[in-house]
Amino acid sequence: MDWQWKRWGGLWLGLGLVLSLALGSVVHAQGPVAITDVTQPQVSPYPALSRQPVGLVGKAALPTDSRYPGPTSAQLLTPGSENNNKPIPFKDHQPLQGFSAARLNPDGSYFVMVDNGFGAKNNSADALLSVYRLRPDFKTAQGGSGEVQVLGAMVLHDPERKVGFPVTADLAAYPQDPGAHPFPGPLRTIAVDPMIKAKRLLTGMDFDLESFRRAADGSFWFGDEFGPFLVHTDASGKLLEAPVSIPIPAPLQRYGRGAEVFRSPQNPAFFRLANDAERLKVANQPRSKGLEGMAISADGSKLYPLLEGPMIEDPDQSRLVITEFDLRRKRFTGRYFFYKLEAPFSNPAPNRNKIGDMAAVNEREFLVIEADDGQGSTAGFKKIFKIDLGQVDAQGFVRKQEVVDLLNIANPNNLDSDALTGSFGTGNPFKFPFQTVEVVQVIDRNTILVGNDNNYPTTSGNGRRKEDTDHNEFILVRLAQPLRLTTKQ
């Protein structure tokens, strides 16, 4: 499939289960890589780390102002201090930011997924829903630059109109308020980029993607917050079918406000309602608290989507829902599990918890990031737990065991010694103090990768330094207790 990336003449290359974008001297595809989330344990790509003590053993960062060629973005943001005085818009580029999930490839590169763009439906209509291929050169005790190479990109697109509701590509200009009634309401004077329209590229006005997995057939499944939905694409990012809604478990249907599926105020079923106040009356899931984490089973047969927040009317504001989706039959099995937050979502910010990502360890055990809303010195809770779907209490909650405290990571090798002056949490112990910690990836039985969503360019991404947005950081952490690993994803 040829893609004309405006003046850059980019060419999308089908690489089996990998899609890389070649852009002349900007980036170069590195050749085909066979990929699947469902693999047997492999030799660690970082064998020297096995001799390191528990704690921080590797760190790499993609600079905060990194860009990638594409349609002009950030045209709908307001210049000024709330966006860290960045020189917006970003002409003919997309920012490399907001990473909400990562997958390790056999060649040592990673696929990383950006979320909806700039944090809201109404400012992200020019932000492409993209998966980038990166290669970190981790700084370790044995060396390494700590830099990240950008190898290519994939953009979700819907040329066959599978999505089933109006998207950015259907409009002549970007809307002033995507929640206006009747949709899309008044339009801005900024025309929708011709490439978005021609290729029906999907944007952060259409979905808020927060997680993704690769199935054994090479297709991708994404978890969305706006619906919330499961979104299914082929290896090139083309939608294969209509988005799939998430069923409410029977014990919680009393809180569904008449619906049998979870619905946020941004669900397209509510486009016909007059305003946000009316949508909030009928939604059963809070805004931006849809699907956040998602794992795939060790045998590759099931997905386990996890909601970020509790239902609006659930009296237990610590209860999150994990459902089970059969990939072969493409339907939910009816099985469900509850995850118990350490601090209820109903607490005042920043002391309310949410989850950030989920990854499988074996057929029963999974890692889950749980964190509060604080950043920098206000960060009080950032942890990774191991949960066991085979150990469930009488109320349906899975067993939890703390694996890593991300605000207290041993750093005996001082791997962040070159941090900018005034950076918070870069010494020993090392801290990962970001408002949104949204990447966990199992590397081997002793090592995990953790990454942040830097919320670029807003001040919600000022965890290290108050005067500038955070880099996209990736850290390798050696665990105190090895995992019983039978899957790698």
Side-chain angles (χ1 to χ4, degrees), residues 73-94:
S73 61
Q75 299 169 96
L76 315 182
L77 296 182
T78 303
S81 58
E82 67 182 78
N83 289 302
N84 284 289
N85 297 306
K86 296 297 180 183
I88 52 181
F90 308 127
K91 183 173 174 54
D92 298 333
H93 281 80
Q94 298 277 308

Side-chain angles (χ1 to χ4, degrees), residues 1 33 36 50 83 127 194 236 269 357 367 487 489:
M1 174 187 296
V33 182
T36 177
S50 63
N83 289 302
S236 78
D357 198 10
L367 299 183
T487 189
Q489 55 176 310

Side-chain angles (χ1 to χ4, degrees), residues 22 28 56-57 89 140-141 169 219 235 240 279 289 293 338 359 410 429 447 460 483:
H28 299 277
L56 186 68
V57 293
T140 70
S219 64
L240 295 175
R279 295 177 186 115
K289 290 296 175 285
F338 297 146
T447 314
S460 296
L483 301 170

